Amino acid sequence: MSGFVEKPEPIEVPGLVHLHTGKVRDLYRNEAGDLVMVASDRMSAYDWVLPTEIPDKGRVLTRLSLWWFDQLRDLAPNHVISEELPAGAPADWAGRTLVCKSLKMVPVECVARGYLTGSGLVEYEESRTVCGLALPEGLVDGSELPAPIFTPATKAEVGEHDENVSYEEVARQVGAETAAQLRQATLAIYSRARDIARERGIILADTKFEFGFDGDTLVLADEVLTPDSSRFWPADQWQPGRAQPSYDKQFVRDWLTSAESGWDRRGEQPPPALPQRVVDATRAKYVEAYERLTGTSWS
């Protein structure tokens, strides 16, 4: 089993039609036909949306995404139209809401990896490949790759796993021209972001992007380069051959798999509520990532 422990009811706002409740974001359409994207404070782990929220998480993701969109503007247009709060929206939506272009989304998670870890490491240890791409011998958890690689995945529903696929499979699904555009844009954006993060003492190990088409133009969409969609590691603590400290939900994952939680991630019971110290530590990591990357104070 997996999915929502407690699925929230959509908030009704005059002039907005609710479209989808995702792991983190709620999507609406306004009367002009634009998307209204609201980033909640929900936290997901091990294919579950947990019953405990992380305060300010949605605002951190929104503000950091906006900062990155500015850094990447010359490489890829983005879907943001406005940060203006829709009329009649609850006050809690402030700072976590974006009005965006409605795009024809490409059904592919566009993943760029510059370092070996996660599902890529699992495949590498079995076959010395990641998404069918051959890699050299001798790499370990946390190794920097010879060059960044494009390792796409299928997009999964809430409660399901994204699955890594080959570039050839992406080309079969969306066409050779679109696949080539996705790969070029993904690697260009990753390389720019990796260099920016490195200047700030952070390693961007890997990240995922979503793209859609506005007519014939490929547009960067959803969130971008946040702790939810990326692995950020403190550069001064990088040590290949082990799991790396990271700016993300690792505190949550570690507690859920600890004896203290009493939860069996492979069982049928939903995960329990998080203790306050795990909530506080996770929020602190998200805020630290924002402050280190942007060079500005969260408060």
Side-chain angles (χ1 to χ4, degrees), residues 37-79:
M37 189 168 72
V38 185
S40 74
D41 291 336
R42 294 191 292 270
M43 173 64 74
S44 65
Y46 300 119
D47 299 318
W48 283 95
V49 180
L50 305 180
T52 311
E53 295 188 340
I54 307 298
D56 286 329
K57 177 173 172 283
R59 292 186 176 91
V60 171
L61 299 184
T62 300
R63 199 186 298 181
L64 186 55
S65 290
L66 287 168
W67 184 83
W68 277 114
F69 282 137
D70 281 343
Q71 312 306 308
L72 304 168
R73 194 172 297 279
D74 61 315
L75 290 180
N78 64 71
H79 67 162

Short mmCIF file of all heavy atoms in Angstrom, two decimals, residues 37-79:
data_model
loop_
_atom_site.label_atom_id
_atom_site.label_comp_id
_atom_site.label_asym_id
_atom_site.label_seq_id
_atom_site.Cartn_x
_atom_site.Cartn_y
_atom_site.Cartn_z
N MET A 37 -1.07 27.05 -9.21
CA MET A 37 -0.32 25.98 -8.56
C MET A 37 -0.02 26.40 -7.12
O MET A 37 0.60 27.43 -6.88
CB MET A 37 0.99 25.74 -9.32
CG MET A 37 1.77 24.52 -8.90
SD MET A 37 3.10 24.13 -10.08
CE MET A 37 4.26 25.46 -9.74
N VAL A 38 -0.48 25.59 -6.17
CA VAL A 38 -0.34 25.92 -4.75
C VAL A 38 0.55 24.86 -4.10
O VAL A 38 0.21 23.67 -4.08
CB VAL A 38 -1.71 25.95 -4.04
CG1 VAL A 38 -1.53 26.43 -2.60
CG2 VAL A 38 -2.69 26.85 -4.79
N ALA A 39 1.70 25.29 -3.59
CA ALA A 39 2.64 24.36 -2.94
C ALA A 39 2.29 24.23 -1.47
O ALA A 39 2.37 25.20 -0.71
CB ALA A 39 4.08 24.86 -3.11
N SER A 40 1.88 23.05 -1.06
CA SER A 40 1.49 22.80 0.33
C SER A 40 2.74 22.54 1.18
O SER A 40 3.87 22.53 0.69
CB SER A 40 0.56 21.59 0.40
OG SER A 40 1.31 20.39 0.20
N ASP A 41 2.52 22.28 2.45
CA ASP A 41 3.60 21.89 3.35
C ASP A 41 3.66 20.36 3.52
O ASP A 41 4.33 19.86 4.42
CB ASP A 41 3.43 22.55 4.72
CG ASP A 41 3.66 24.06 4.66
OD1 ASP A 41 4.35 24.52 3.73
OD2 ASP A 41 3.12 24.77 5.53
N ARG A 42 2.95 19.64 2.64
CA ARG A 42 2.95 18.18 2.74
C ARG A 42 4.34 17.62 2.47
O ARG A 42 5.13 18.18 1.70
CB ARG A 42 1.94 17.57 1.75
CG ARG A 42 0.49 17.92 2.06
CD ARG A 42 -0.47 17.09 1.24
NE ARG A 42 -0.47 17.39 -0.18
CZ ARG A 42 -1.25 18.29 -0.77
NH1 ARG A 42 -2.07 19.02 -0.06
NH2 ARG A 42 -1.20 18.47 -2.08
N MET A 43 4.62 16.49 3.11
CA MET A 43 5.90 15.79 2.96
C MET A 43 5.62 14.36 2.50
O MET A 43 4.74 13.69 3.05
CB MET A 43 6.66 15.78 4.29
CG MET A 43 7.92 14.92 4.31
SD MET A 43 9.19 15.53 3.16
CE MET A 43 9.79 16.97 4.05
N SER A 44 6.36 13.92 1.49
CA SER A 44 6.22 12.54 1.02
C SER A 44 7.52 11.78 1.26
O SER A 44 8.61 12.36 1.24
CB SER A 44 5.85 12.48 -0.46
OG SER A 44 6.89 13.01 -1.26
N ALA A 45 7.38 10.49 1.50
CA ALA A 45 8.54 9.60 1.66
C ALA A 45 8.09 8.17 1.43
O ALA A 45 6.99 7.79 1.87
CB ALA A 45 9.14 9.75 3.06
N TYR A 46 8.93 7.42 0.76
CA TYR A 46 8.64 6.00 0.49
C TYR A 46 7.25 5.82 -0.13
O TYR A 46 6.50 4.91 0.24
CB TYR A 46 8.80 5.18 1.76
CG TYR A 46 10.20 5.25 2.33
CD1 TYR A 46 10.43 5.77 3.60
CD2 TYR A 46 11.30 4.84 1.58
CE1 TYR A 46 11.71 5.85 4.12
CE2 TYR A 46 12.59 4.92 2.08
CZ TYR A 46 12.79 5.42 3.34
OH TYR A 46 14.07 5.52 3.84
N ASP A 47 6.91 6.71 -1.06
CA ASP A 47 5.67 6.65 -1.83
C ASP A 47 4.42 6.94 -1.00
O ASP A 47 3.30 6.71 -1.45
CB ASP A 47 5.52 5.29 -2.54
CG ASP A 47 6.64 5.05 -3.54
OD1 ASP A 47 7.00 6.00 -4.25
OD2 ASP A 47 7.19 3.94 -3.57
N TRP A 48 4.60 7.43 0.21
CA TRP A 48 3.48 7.87 1.05
C TRP A 48 3.51 9.39 1.19
O TRP A 48 4.59 9.98 1.31
CB TRP A 48 3.57 7.27 2.45
CG TRP A 48 3.15 5.84 2.55
CD1 TRP A 48 3.95 4.73 2.50
CD2 TRP A 48 1.82 5.35 2.74
NE1 TRP A 48 3.21 3.59 2.64
CE2 TRP A 48 1.90 3.94 2.80
CE3 TRP A 48 0.58 5.97 2.89
CZ2 TRP A 48 0.76 3.13 2.99
CZ3 TRP A 48 -0.54 5.17 3.08
CH2 TRP A 48 -0.45 3.78 3.12
N VAL A 49 2.35 10.02 1.22
CA VAL A 49 2.24 11.40 1.67
C VAL A 49 1.91 11.33 3.15
O VAL A 49 0.90 10.76 3.57
CB VAL A 49 1.14 12.16 0.91
CG1 VAL A 49 1.05 13.59 1.42
CG2 VAL A 49 1.43 12.15 -0.58
N LEU A 50 2.81 11.87 3.96
CA LEU A 50 2.78 11.65 5.41
C LEU A 50 1.67 12.48 6.08
O LEU A 50 1.23 13.50 5.54
CB LEU A 50 4.14 12.01 6.01
CG LEU A 50 5.34 11.30 5.39
CD1 LEU A 50 6.63 11.75 6.06
CD2 LEU A 50 5.21 9.78 5.50
N PRO A 51 1.27 12.08 7.28
CA PRO A 51 0.23 12.82 7.98
C PRO A 51 0.72 14.10 8.64
O PRO A 51 -0.08 14.89 9.13
CB PRO A 51 -0.26 11.82 9.05
CG PRO A 51 0.93 10.95 9.32
CD PRO A 51 1.63 10.82 7.99
N THR A 52 2.05 14.30 8.68
CA THR A 52 2.64 15.47 9.34
C THR A 52 3.21 16.42 8.29
O THR A 52 3.94 15.98 7.40
CB THR A 52 3.76 15.04 10.30
OG1 THR A 52 3.30 13.99 11.14
CG2 THR A 52 4.22 16.21 11.15
N GLU A 53 2.90 17.70 8.41
CA GLU A 53 3.42 18.70 7.48
C GLU A 53 4.69 19.34 8.05
O GLU A 53 4.95 19.28 9.26
CB GLU A 53 2.37 19.77 7.21
CG GLU A 53 1.15 19.22 6.48
CD GLU A 53 0.20 20.31 6.03
OE1 GLU A 53 0.26 21.44 6.60
OE2 GLU A 53 -0.61 20.05 5.12
N ILE A 54 5.47 19.96 7.15
CA ILE A 54 6.69 20.68 7.52
C ILE A 54 6.42 22.17 7.33
O ILE A 54 6.28 22.63 6.19
CB ILE A 54 7.89 20.24 6.65
CG1 ILE A 54 8.07 18.72 6.68
CG2 ILE A 54 9.16 20.96 7.12
CD1 ILE A 54 8.36 18.13 8.04
N PRO A 55 6.31 22.95 8.41
CA PRO A 55 5.94 24.37 8.28
C PRO A 55 6.87 25.12 7.32
O PRO A 55 8.09 24.93 7.33
CB PRO A 55 6.09 24.89 9.71
CG PRO A 55 5.88 23.70 10.58
CD PRO A 55 6.48 22.54 9.82
N ASP A 56 6.27 25.94 6.47
CA ASP A 56 6.96 26.81 5.50
C ASP A 56 7.54 26.06 4.30
O ASP A 56 8.09 26.69 3.39
CB ASP A 56 8.10 27.61 6.16
CG ASP A 56 7.60 28.74 7.02
OD1 ASP A 56 6.54 29.29 6.70
OD2 ASP A 56 8.25 29.05 8.03
N LYS A 57 7.42 24.75 4.26
CA LYS A 57 8.04 24.00 3.17
C LYS A 57 7.55 24.47 1.80
O LYS A 57 8.34 24.69 0.88
CB LYS A 57 7.77 22.51 3.35
CG LYS A 57 8.31 21.62 2.24
CD LYS A 57 8.14 20.16 2.60
CE LYS A 57 8.48 19.23 1.46
NZ LYS A 57 7.40 19.18 0.44
N GLY A 58 6.24 24.64 1.66
CA GLY A 58 5.71 25.06 0.36
C GLY A 58 6.21 26.43 -0.06
O GLY A 58 6.47 26.67 -1.24
N ARG A 59 6.37 27.33 0.91
CA ARG A 59 6.88 28.67 0.59
C ARG A 59 8.36 28.61 0.21
O ARG A 59 8.81 29.34 -0.68
CB ARG A 59 6.65 29.62 1.77
CG ARG A 59 5.19 29.92 2.01
CD ARG A 59 4.98 30.99 3.08
NE ARG A 59 3.57 31.31 3.21
CZ ARG A 59 2.74 30.71 4.05
NH1 ARG A 59 3.20 29.76 4.86
NH2 ARG A 59 1.46 31.03 4.10
N VAL A 60 9.12 27.77 0.88
CA VAL A 60 10.53 27.62 0.53
C VAL A 60 10.65 27.10 -0.91
O VAL A 60 11.44 27.63 -1.72
CB VAL A 60 11.26 26.67 1.50
CG1 VAL A 60 12.66 26.35 1.00
CG2 VAL A 60 11.34 27.27 2.89
N LEU A 61 9.88 26.08 -1.24
CA LEU A 61 9.94 25.51 -2.59
C LEU A 61 9.56 26.55 -3.64
O LEU A 61 10.19 26.65 -4.70
CB LEU A 61 9.02 24.30 -2.70
CG LEU A 61 9.29 23.10 -1.79
CD1 LEU A 61 8.34 21.95 -2.12
CD2 LEU A 61 10.73 22.63 -1.88
N THR A 62 8.53 27.33 -3.34
CA THR A 62 8.06 28.33 -4.30
C THR A 62 9.08 29.43 -4.49
O THR A 62 9.44 29.80 -5.63
CB THR A 62 6.72 28.93 -3.82
OG1 THR A 62 5.76 27.88 -3.71
CG2 THR A 62 6.21 29.98 -4.79
N ARG A 63 9.61 29.97 -3.39
CA ARG A 63 10.55 31.08 -3.50
C ARG A 63 11.86 30.63 -4.14
O ARG A 63 12.46 31.35 -4.94
CB ARG A 63 10.80 31.69 -2.12
CG ARG A 63 11.38 33.11 -2.21
CD ARG A 63 11.76 33.68 -0.87
NE ARG A 63 10.64 33.82 0.05
CZ ARG A 63 10.76 34.32 1.28
NH1 ARG A 63 11.97 34.68 1.74
NH2 ARG A 63 9.72 34.44 2.06
N LEU A 64 12.30 29.42 -3.81
CA LEU A 64 13.55 28.92 -4.40
C LEU A 64 13.37 28.64 -5.88
O LEU A 64 14.26 28.95 -6.69
CB LEU A 64 14.01 27.66 -3.66
CG LEU A 64 15.37 27.09 -4.08
CD1 LEU A 64 16.47 28.14 -3.96
CD2 LEU A 64 15.71 25.86 -3.24
N SER A 65 12.22 28.09 -6.27
CA SER A 65 11.96 27.86 -7.69
C SER A 65 11.99 29.18 -8.46
O SER A 65 12.58 29.27 -9.55
CB SER A 65 10.60 27.18 -7.88
OG SER A 65 10.62 25.85 -7.44
N LEU A 66 11.36 30.22 -7.91
CA LEU A 66 11.36 31.52 -8.58
C LEU A 66 12.79 32.06 -8.74
O LEU A 66 13.14 32.63 -9.78
CB LEU A 66 10.51 32.52 -7.79
CG LEU A 66 9.00 32.30 -7.87
CD1 LEU A 66 8.28 33.14 -6.83
CD2 LEU A 66 8.48 32.61 -9.28
N TRP A 67 13.61 31.87 -7.72
CA TRP A 67 15.00 32.32 -7.79
C TRP A 67 15.75 31.58 -8.91
O TRP A 67 16.46 32.19 -9.71
CB TRP A 67 15.69 32.09 -6.45
CG TRP A 67 17.10 32.62 -6.40
CD1 TRP A 67 17.49 33.89 -6.15
CD2 TRP A 67 18.30 31.86 -6.64
NE1 TRP A 67 18.87 33.99 -6.20
CE2 TRP A 67 19.39 32.76 -6.50
CE3 TRP A 67 18.57 30.53 -6.95
CZ2 TRP A 67 20.72 32.36 -6.67
CZ3 TRP A 67 19.88 30.13 -7.12
CH2 TRP A 67 20.94 31.04 -6.98
N TRP A 68 15.55 30.29 -8.98
CA TRP A 68 16.22 29.51 -10.03
C TRP A 68 15.69 29.87 -11.42
O TRP A 68 16.47 29.94 -12.39
CB TRP A 68 16.03 28.02 -9.78
CG TRP A 68 16.99 27.42 -8.81
CD1 TRP A 68 16.70 26.89 -7.59
CD2 TRP A 68 18.41 27.26 -8.97
NE1 TRP A 68 17.85 26.42 -6.97
CE2 TRP A 68 18.91 26.64 -7.81
CE3 TRP A 68 19.31 27.60 -9.99
CZ2 TRP A 68 20.26 26.33 -7.65
CZ3 TRP A 68 20.65 27.29 -9.83
CH2 TRP A 68 21.11 26.68 -8.67
N PHE A 69 14.38 30.08 -11.56
CA PHE A 69 13.85 30.48 -12.86
C PHE A 69 14.57 31.72 -13.37
O PHE A 69 14.86 31.84 -14.56
CB PHE A 69 12.34 30.73 -12.77
CG PHE A 69 11.48 29.50 -12.74
CD1 PHE A 69 10.41 29.41 -11.87
CD2 PHE A 69 11.72 28.43 -13.59
CE1 PHE A 69 9.60 28.28 -11.84
CE2 PHE A 69 10.93 27.29 -13.57
CZ PHE A 69 9.85 27.21 -12.69
N ASP A 70 14.87 32.66 -12.46
CA ASP A 70 15.60 33.86 -12.86
C ASP A 70 17.02 33.54 -13.32
O ASP A 70 17.53 34.14 -14.27
CB ASP A 70 15.65 34.86 -11.70
CG ASP A 70 14.36 35.64 -11.53
OD1 ASP A 70 13.54 35.65 -12.48
OD2 ASP A 70 14.15 36.22 -10.45
N GLN A 71 17.67 32.60 -12.65
CA GLN A 71 19.04 32.23 -13.03
C GLN A 71 19.09 31.51 -14.39
O GLN A 71 20.14 31.50 -15.04
CB GLN A 71 19.67 31.31 -11.97
CG GLN A 71 19.53 31.73 -10.53
CD GLN A 71 20.03 33.13 -10.28
OE1 GLN A 71 21.15 33.48 -10.64
NE2 GLN A 71 19.18 33.94 -9.66
N LEU A 72 17.98 30.92 -14.77
CA LEU A 72 17.97 30.05 -15.96
C LEU A 72 17.23 30.67 -17.13
O LEU A 72 17.06 30.02 -18.17
CB LEU A 72 17.30 28.72 -15.60
CG LEU A 72 17.90 27.95 -14.42
CD1 LEU A 72 16.97 26.81 -14.00
CD2 LEU A 72 19.28 27.40 -14.79
N ARG A 73 16.81 31.91 -16.97
CA ARG A 73 15.91 32.53 -17.95
C ARG A 73 16.48 32.51 -19.36
O ARG A 73 15.73 32.36 -20.35
CB ARG A 73 15.60 33.96 -17.52
CG ARG A 73 14.44 34.59 -18.25
CD ARG A 73 14.09 35.93 -17.63
NE ARG A 73 13.65 35.81 -16.25
CZ ARG A 73 12.43 35.46 -15.89
NH1 ARG A 73 11.52 35.21 -16.82
NH2 ARG A 73 12.09 35.38 -14.62
N ASP A 74 17.79 32.64 -19.51
CA ASP A 74 18.38 32.66 -20.86
C ASP A 74 18.51 31.26 -21.46
O ASP A 74 18.72 31.12 -22.66
CB ASP A 74 19.75 33.33 -20.83
CG ASP A 74 20.73 32.60 -19.92
OD1 ASP A 74 20.33 32.23 -18.80
OD2 ASP A 74 21.89 32.38 -20.33
N LEU A 75 18.39 30.23 -20.63
CA LEU A 75 18.50 28.86 -21.14
C LEU A 75 17.15 28.26 -21.49
O LEU A 75 17.05 27.45 -22.42
CB LEU A 75 19.16 27.95 -20.08
CG LEU A 75 20.63 28.18 -19.79
CD1 LEU A 75 21.10 27.19 -18.73
CD2 LEU A 75 21.46 28.01 -21.06
N ALA A 76 16.12 28.62 -20.74
CA ALA A 76 14.80 28.02 -20.97
C ALA A 76 13.71 28.94 -20.47
O ALA A 76 13.77 29.41 -19.33
CB ALA A 76 14.70 26.67 -20.26
N PRO A 77 12.69 29.21 -21.28
CA PRO A 77 11.53 29.94 -20.77
C PRO A 77 10.82 29.10 -19.72
O PRO A 77 10.91 27.87 -19.73
CB PRO A 77 10.66 30.15 -22.01
CG PRO A 77 11.05 29.05 -22.95
CD PRO A 77 12.50 28.79 -22.68
N ASN A 78 10.12 29.76 -18.79
CA ASN A 78 9.39 29.02 -17.75
C ASN A 78 7.91 29.37 -17.80
O ASN A 78 7.49 30.25 -18.54
CB ASN A 78 9.99 29.29 -16.37
CG ASN A 78 9.85 30.74 -15.95
OD1 ASN A 78 8.77 31.21 -15.64
ND2 ASN A 78 10.97 31.47 -15.96
N HIS A 79 7.14 28.66 -17.00
CA HIS A 79 5.68 28.74 -17.09
C HIS A 79 5.06 29.79 -16.19
O HIS A 79 3.83 29.95 -16.19
CB HIS A 79 5.07 27.38 -16.78
CG HIS A 79 5.26 26.93 -15.35
ND1 HIS A 79 4.49 25.94 -14.78
CD2 HIS A 79 6.13 27.33 -14.38
CE1 HIS A 79 4.87 25.74 -13.53
NE2 HIS A 79 5.86 26.58 -13.27
#
